Amino acid sequence: MSKTVDEILKQHVLSKEDIVKLLQTNKEERNKIFTHAAKVKADYVGKKVYYRGLIEMSNICSKNCYYCGIRLDNKSAGRYDISDEEILNAVKFAYESNYGSVVLQAGEISSPKFTKRISNLLKQIKELSNNELGITISLGEQPEEVYQEWFESGAHRYLLRIESSNPELYYKLHPKDKKHDYETRLDCLRSLQKVGYQTGTGVMVGLPFQTYEDLANDLFFMRDFDIDMCGMGPYLEHKDTPLYEYKDLLMPIESRFTLTLKMISLLRIIMKDINIAAATALQAIDPIGREKAIKVGANIIMPNVTPGMYRDNYKLYENKPCTDEEAADCTNCMEMRIGITGDDIGYGEWGDSKHYAKRIQQQP
Ligand code: 5AD
Ligand code: SF4
Ligand code: FES
């Protein structure tokens, strides 16, 4: 006889079959997973949410990921590159609002000039915040020396999503060329760990061609890679991208949303002490999507502090929330939002990954 959801959740180790079964649960059963994950979160990382003020520096990108609205070949995306001064103003806003950390994110560009620019920005962020702001960067694939330079300049966390841990699916989402090589992505993640970053990855959920087995493997990939942080969101089709062609293969958007919540809660259950972000893409589907993610295991939120005039252009997917707002609007809104989850906000705290602290201690 096959195991019940309760029986599966009582086990210490979940098999791939268990995960596949849990990913397919109905409404009543999935609430058991959510409740269990909420308890794991409270026990291991506490009922607390940490802020990372997100600055989307530039939507100029040299890559051509098939799903992404700011891919190089999308000529209808209006491009921008925020000046250093405006970036530092946004950083100042995050600092003065007691956000604890900032995230610098941009399309992928690799050049000595870009490397220098980021290093300088990192040093200036440290300086203007008396070394108090934590810094996460999400600037794509770079040579290890570049990761090293940025680490030495003050960044201590890095986000680089694997998008899918199944190479076959990866190449349905990316051109099969040197610029979009799955092995290179893996090497980059390894370099990040080696350099000493708190290393974050993640996947998109509900992609065309993606199976429940793929998703279970994605969770095991994150566990086996020993990641410290995760950002995982639903796939949202964008009409100006090649992957849009397969939109008829997609599950309904509400199902992608629920499946993402299940992935977040299962990841919390199998990797108890990592940091998990409530992805903005969740809010593109449900107005309280991020809050729902916090309820079932996420503990990081990235309020957008990008200057308002640029926000509308950082469109990886459509229906992106908060694009008409200014940073200060989000602060008030966010406080109320977290309030309804019942969690506290870790104002002024870094909220580093507890998993990282343990991982580093255990290193020889
Ligand atoms: N839908 C959802 N997420 C997307 N991303 C890019 N395009 C989309 C999309 N259409 C995600 C990718 C990338 C991150 C910055 O945004 O996972 O790593
Ligand atoms: Fe560029 Fe990232 Fe979009 Fe790929 S997902 S096209 S690397 S911004
Ligand atoms: Fe941005 Fe509510 S969080 S307006």
Side-chain angles (χ1 to χ4, degrees):
M1 213 180 74
S2 71
K3 290 177 268 187
T4 66
V5 170
D6 286 312
E7 283 165 352
I8 295 176
L9 290 172
K10 273 200 197 106
Q11 302 173 135
H12 283 292
V13 182
L14 302 189
S15 68
K16 193 192 293 182
E17 291 67 37
D18 294 334
I19 301 268
V20 167
K21 176 159 180 181
L22 294 179
L23 287 172
Q24 291 175 282
T25 42
N26 64 23
K27 194 167 181 178
E28 191 190 322
E29 288 176 325
R30 79 180 179 236
N31 281 329
K32 295 180 180 170
I33 311 175
F34 294 161
T35 308
H36 187 68
K39 175 144 190 351
V40 172
K41 175 183 159 186
D43 289 349
Y44 285 82
V45 293
K47 279 173 66 61
K48 205 162 179 183
V49 176
Y50 299 97
Y51 279 180
R52 316 277 185 240
L54 172 66
I55 302 163
E56 296 157 335
M57 286 178 53
S58 163
N59 68 352
I60 300 171
C61 188
S62 61
K63 285 177 111 168
N64 253 322
C65 308
Y66 292 147
Y67 45 84
C68 178
I70 63 170
R71 62 198 299 274
L72 178 68
D73 287 352
N74 181 13
K75 302 297 175 214
S76 53
R79 304 290 166 169
Y80 73 86
D81 189 7
I82 306 186
S83 72
D84 288 4
E85 193 190 342
E86 286 173 295
I87 293 170
L88 293 170
N89 278 335
V91 168
K92 225 177 271 165
F93 171 83
Y95 179 55
E96 284 162 4
S97 311
N98 229 350
Y99 278 9
S101 293
V102 288
V103 183
L104 291 186
Q105 187 164 59
E108 191 174 308
I109 294 173
S110 211
S111 74
K113 191 171 154 219
F114 185 70
T115 304
K116 273 276 142 328
R117 179 179 175 211
I118 297 296
S119 297
N120 285 332
L121 275 169
L122 292 168
K123 288 177 196 152
Q124 291 182 78
I125 294 172
K126 282 290 173 193
E127 213 176 279
L128 79 78
S129 71
N130 297 315
N131 281 323
E132 285 171 27
L133 274 178
I135 312 177
T136 307
I137 49 178
S138 180
L139 302 167
E141 295 175 9
Q142 303 285 346
E144 189 168 306
E145 309 81 74
V146 173
Y147 288 149
Q148 182 74 42
E149 180 177 322
W150 290 343
F151 188 73
E152 285 164 14
S153 304
H156 60 130
R157 313 183 189 108
Y158 205 106
L159 295 171
L160 181 65
R161 288 190 182 176
I162 188 76
E163 316 296 358
S164 167
S165 63
N166 174 355
E168 240 175 78
L169 179 53
Y170 191 90
Y171 288 117
K172 290 197 168 99
L173 310 174
H174 301 94
K176 205 164 186 169
D177 60 24
K178 261 182 85 180
K179 234 181 157 26
H180 300 82
D181 186 61
Y182 177 80
E183 288 300 325
T184 306
R185 179 72 59 123
L186 283 183
D187 286 341
C188 284
L189 282 168
R190 288 187 200 106
S191 296
L192 290 165
Q193 280 184 333
K194 187 170 149 217
V195 169
Y197 284 94
Q198 291 173 52
T199 305
T201 191
V203 297
M204 284 177 286
V205 179
L207 289 159
F209 315 109
Q210 190 178 44
T211 64
Y212 289 108
E213 186 142 307
D214 285 330
L215 289 169
N217 285 330
D218 287 339
L219 293 174
F220 288 155
F221 168 84
M222 294 191 252
R223 180 197 62 194
D224 297 341
F225 211 92
D226 210 12
I227 59 149
D228 307 303
M229 333 184 283
C230 175
M232 175 155 69
Y235 165 67
L236 300 165
E237 66 272 31
H238 190 301
K239 64 175 175 0
D240 299 323
T241 63
L243 211 61
Y244 193 72
E245 181 188 336
Y246 300 105
K247 66 176 188 315
D248 295 338
L249 298 180
L250 298 174
M251 60 174 79
I253 200 155
E254 300 77 24
S255 312
R256 276 176 261 162
F257 178 84
T258 315
L259 192 54
T260 306
L261 291 187
K262 287 179 187 167
M263 285 288 284
I264 289 175
S265 53
L266 290 171
L267 184 62
R268 175 59 70 201
I269 292 168
I270 64 173
M271 295 193 81
K272 303 182 179 348
D273 56 357
I274 64 169
N275 278 348
I276 305 179
T280 310
L282 287 165
Q283 201 185 328
I285 303 181
D286 182 327
I288 53 165
R290 290 184 294 184
E291 293 72 15
K292 288 182 177 170
I294 287 168
K295 281 262 192 203
V296 304
N299 67 329
I300 301 290
I301 204 156
M302 315 210 298
N304 201 334
V305 297
T306 310
M309 57 197 283
Y310 300 109
R311 290 188 183 199
D312 206 31
N313 281 320
Y314 201 83
K315 279 219 175 122
L316 308 173
Y317 44 82
E318 293 165 286
N319 291 324
K320 204 169 153 237
C322 304
T323 49
D324 294 330
E325 274 71 21
E326 279 296 338
D329 303 328
C330 286
T331 303
N332 295 331
C333 177
M334 194 66 79
E335 189 161 288
M336 194 196 70
R337 285 165 171 282
I338 312 283
I340 52 177
T341 68
D343 277 21
D344 291 327
I345 301 169
Y347 276 121
E349 294 179 58
W350 278 15
D352 276 341
S353 165
K354 290 194 166 50
H355 187 83
Y356 174 82
K358 268 191 222 146
R359 180 161 76 77
I360 291 305
Q361 260 176 16
Q362 281 160 7
Q363 265 175 12

